[in-house]
Amino acid sequence: RRYTTEISLIIGPERDIPAPDVNTNAQTMSWIMDTYSMHAGHTVPGCVTGKPVSLGGSVGRKEATGRGVTFTLEAAAQALGEKLAGQRVVIQGFGNVGSYFADSVRHDGVKIIAIGDAYGAVANENGIDVPTAMRYGQATGSIRDLPGTHPVDPAGLLEMDCEILVPAALENQLTAENAGNVKAHIVAEGANGPTTPDADRVLHEKGVFLIPDVLCNAGGVTVSYFEWVQALNRDRWDEATVNAKLRSIMLTAFDEVLTMSRREDVDMRTAAYLLAVERVADATSQRGIYP
């Protein structure tokens, strides 16, 4: 609350809008919103996103980042002419992103063979039961010692034999040192910045199809936008509406980045940057420069 007071001049529904990430959650957003509102003299639900639904948060926000990863992964498989059913998936990170990704992608018939968190990593070559893993993780605070699995070296998680690798933990996990050992042919970046530039080049040269973080994990910030819109309009959408809008936006973005990638013959991350810079340049050109 004291921190919110100090930054209250630079946040707000028409300025910068905080949302939860590592080591923050819906409760944190509640405190920020309440403190900001006390200073404003009235409730301002649009000053943050990721709030509890009871305080004006959006249904589907907590699951949105993981669901967005699934949507882009489904699009990638289609672009490569593949089916997800039966493909083996390894997930690094089983927090908000990794767990809800696992819960959504399991309906595509994939086999999640290994998962890891900050306390350890476990595997089952026949597939890990995701609902059990989620309940166990929520009850114990970790998936370490998950029944029906055996422990594996967390350092080797990214190099396991699989078709799909999802780094959904912290940044700089895929580096020049381990990227050459990646077995997966699709890498979906659920985390922010999990791949270093050197690793990017290695993976591209290996022919790995990488879905960059700026696209792959954009589901969370997209539904944060939905939450902001609902707050401004004093509206409330049901979860089916939120998910449908999220899916439409994620798939459209994927198609646009893929088109740029093929047109310019570059990897997907470079294509995403090219598309972003092109849009900013076009907008700047049309608006002009003043003064």
Side-chain angles (χ1 to χ4, degrees), residues 62-255:
K62 182 171 60 176
E63 303 89 349
T65 307
R67 283 179 178 156
V69 175
T70 295
F71 293 153
T72 57
L73 182 58
E74 290 170 344
Q78 183 176 14
L80 296 173
E82 301 177 3
K83 292 184 178 180
L84 286 179
Q87 297 210 36
R88 297 168 299 166
V89 180
V90 171
I91 307 173
Q92 183 201 46
F94 206 64
N96 197 56
V97 179
S99 63
Y100 286 113
F101 160 71
D103 190 49
S104 60
V105 80
R106 66 189 175 93
H107 299 291
D108 286 310
V110 301
K111 185 186 295 185
I112 298 172
I113 62 169
I115 53 179
D117 61 19
Y119 305 101
V122 296
N124 183 336
E125 289 71 19
N126 295 317
I128 295 172
D129 184 75
V130 174
T132 298
M134 292 181 72
R135 288 193 298 269
Y136 184 85
Q138 289 165 0
T140 67
S142 173
I143 50 81
R144 186 179 57 184
D145 302 323
L146 174 67
T149 66
H150 60 85
V152 293
D153 179 13
L157 197 68
L158 300 174
E159 302 175 16
M160 288 185 66
D161 188 16
C162 64
E163 284 74 49
I164 299 166
L165 176 63
V166 182
L170 299 175
E171 67 277 358
N172 299 329
Q173 298 300 298
L174 287 167
T175 65
E177 284 69 38
N178 62 9
N181 298 324
V182 169
K183 310 294 192 303
H185 70 277
I186 297 178
V187 173
E189 294 188 329
N192 289 324
T195 309
T196 67
D198 287 339
D200 247 345
R201 287 188 285 272
V202 173
L203 293 173
H204 183 58
E205 290 169 2
K206 280 169 61 73
V208 174
F209 188 94
L210 186 143
I211 313 171
D213 52 358
V214 69
L215 168 64
C216 189
N217 72 23
V221 73
T222 300
V223 177
S224 275
Y225 166 73
F226 295 166
E227 182 178 330
W228 176 70
V229 170
Q230 291 171 79
L232 293 185
N233 293 328
R234 297 300 194 268
D235 196 3
R236 185 172 292 261
W237 305 345
D238 59 34
E239 192 161 358
T241 300
V242 170
N243 290 340
K245 288 177 176 288
L246 173 62
R247 183 180 184 87
S248 175
I249 286 176
M250 295 298 292
L251 295 184
T252 298
F254 182 92
D255 288 343

Side-chain angles (χ1 to χ4, degrees), residues 11 14 21 24 87 157 165 218 238 287 290:
I11 65 173
E14 298 294 340
D21 206 308
T24 55
Q87 297 210 36
L157 197 68
L165 176 63
D238 59 34
R287 289 182 63 163
Y290 174 85

